[in-house]
Amino acid sequence: MRKVTHYDFPSDKLSRPVKLAIVSDLHNEPFEDILPHLEGCEALLVPGDVANRYTRKYSRGVDFLKEAAKLLPTFYSVGNHELRLPDFQAFVKDAEKTGAELLINRFVSFGELTIGGWYLPGENFPVQDMLDDFEKQPGFRLLMCHKPHHAAQYLLDRDADLIVSGHAHGGQIQLFGQGLYAPGQGLLPKYTRGLYHSKLLVTAGVGNPCYMPRWFNPREIIHLTLG
């Protein structure tokens, strides 16, 4: 089951409210039920992992980007599952054909927003960093970073208004508001779902690539209103 979570993020950098949808961690699962929830949003953010590295498949993830891009402007940044595919460059070529804006350590303007996608350079990913140029852009600066623990370590002191992450799958099992496990964070992870440090928004994601069940931890589509 996938539910919609609503967040309001006030900002005086915007002349009017902007409503965004956030869909992360699809992991090559069926997506048709997600598309109706994009209605009424001005753009879609996809902060990584449309692919499933365990099955080495990504066709449905690419199809999701293609179908979403027909409905509204779609901005996509990569996650670790894409980077661990047998042929990452082949995936990139397919993703570039979807109509979605592929943000691999780069940024673009969207109205009064600057939207970027950042992945830690050097982690099997030797791409030139772009944060210095990103910080110089006018308006509201929004950055997608797939791994929230990397966002917390490297980006909180950078001049971004909001950072959007996924990856943690809501902590897999939630008990009394505490996730039990997240990749890269281990047991009792700090960053699983919600707003942290007033600028790091972590979505629990819409998929589940592993055999461990998601208990008390619904799959999540976010509707985010800025301004």
Side-chain angles (χ1 to χ4, degrees), residues 3-78:
K3 74 165 192 174
V4 177
T5 305
H6 298 267
Y7 288 94
D8 292 320
F9 193 87
S11 173
D12 58 7
K13 291 187 174 182
L14 300 171
S15 61
R16 64 170 184 84
V18 178
K19 186 175 180 180
L20 306 175
I22 303 173
V23 174
S24 186
D25 298 273
L26 180 66
H27 293 297
N28 205 50
E29 294 182 11
F31 59 83
E32 288 77 9
D33 64 304
I34 297 173
L35 299 178
H37 294 295
L38 305 183
E39 184 176 352
C41 296
E42 297 181 51
L44 169 65
L45 307 178
V46 184
D49 278 4
V50 299
N52 188 327
R53 69 182 179 92
Y54 301 121
T55 62
R56 301 186 174 187
K57 295 181 180 180
Y58 62 80
S59 61
R60 282 190 291 209
V62 167
D63 286 344
F64 168 67
L65 294 175
K66 184 184 302 182
E67 294 304 312
K70 293 177 183 177
L71 300 174
L72 73 176
T74 297
F75 302 91
Y76 162 65
S77 64
V78 295

Side-chain angles (χ1 to χ4, degrees), residues 45-48 75-79 101-108 114-121 125 127-131 134 141-146 155 162-164:
L45 307 178
V46 184
F75 302 91
Y76 162 65
S77 64
V78 295
E101 188 76 58
L102 181 59
L103 300 176
I104 302 180
N105 281 22
R106 56 183 289 265
F107 56 84
V108 294
T114 296
I115 301 175
W118 184 86
Y119 200 94
L120 180 65
F125 199 57
V127 176
Q128 182 67 36
D129 203 347
M130 51 52 137
L131 291 175
F134 175 80
R141 291 183 288 272
L142 191 156
L143 195 59
M144 292 183 286
C145 172
H146 181 65
L155 300 178
L162 181 64
I163 306 161
V164 175

